[in-house]
Amino acid sequence: MEFSYEVEGGNFSKAGNAASSVKKVLKQLNVDPKIIKRVVVALYEGEVNVVAHAYKGKVLVDIDTARINIRIEDEGPGIPDIDLAMQVGYSTASAMVREMGFGAGMGLPNMKRNADTIEISSKVGAGTIVELTTKLSS
């Protein structure tokens, strides 16, 4: 099963729509609730990162019997130092984003914590691709 979602930069009212939709699908597939929670947390964090930092993005979700793959692609400023961005508490979020309660520097660390694998590639001035894989069984 494959799904695609568009993410609009700056539109916090729609942040989490893909995560909510994927949660419904995983529940219908009777996936373990603990795995659903991990997938939804990782995906939500990815969506919020696109909304907070990029102009626009796309979420591609591929679910099979063994795993769920999520690819989050954005058109934005990119990440100059991925290792630094992976540190808990590090954030480049604007003051406005922080005032809304986002940008605490937990996005990428939470994505890593809640996925079995994470791969990040980024080009400064062009955008970022984050690929997450979560196994659907222990």
Side-chain angles (χ1 to χ4, degrees), residues 51-117:
V51 171
H53 299 287
Y55 315 115
K56 66 179 181 177
K58 185 186 303 186
V59 174
L60 305 166
V61 180
D62 181 16
I63 304 168
D64 70 24
T65 57
R67 50 99 194 118
I68 179 169
N69 285 335
I70 299 170
R71 180 180 172 100
I72 304 164
E73 305 172 352
D74 76 40
E75 294 178 25
I79 303 171
D81 186 336
I82 293 171
D83 289 334
L84 183 59
M86 291 299 293
Q87 292 181 18
V88 172
Y90 178 81
S91 178
T92 59
S94 68
M96 181 188 78
V97 169
R98 290 175 192 254
E99 287 171 11
M100 289 188 287
F102 300 100
M106 294 302 297
L108 289 174
N110 277 339
M111 292 169 75
K112 181 178 181 179
R113 188 176 304 113
N114 284 286
D116 291 317
T117 64

Side-chain angles (χ1 to χ4, degrees), residues 7 41-51 59 72 107 111 132:
V7 181
V41 167
L43 179 50
Y44 177 78
E45 293 285 10
E47 282 185 83
V48 169
N49 279 350
V50 172
V51 171
V59 174
I72 304 164
M111 292 169 75
L132 307 163

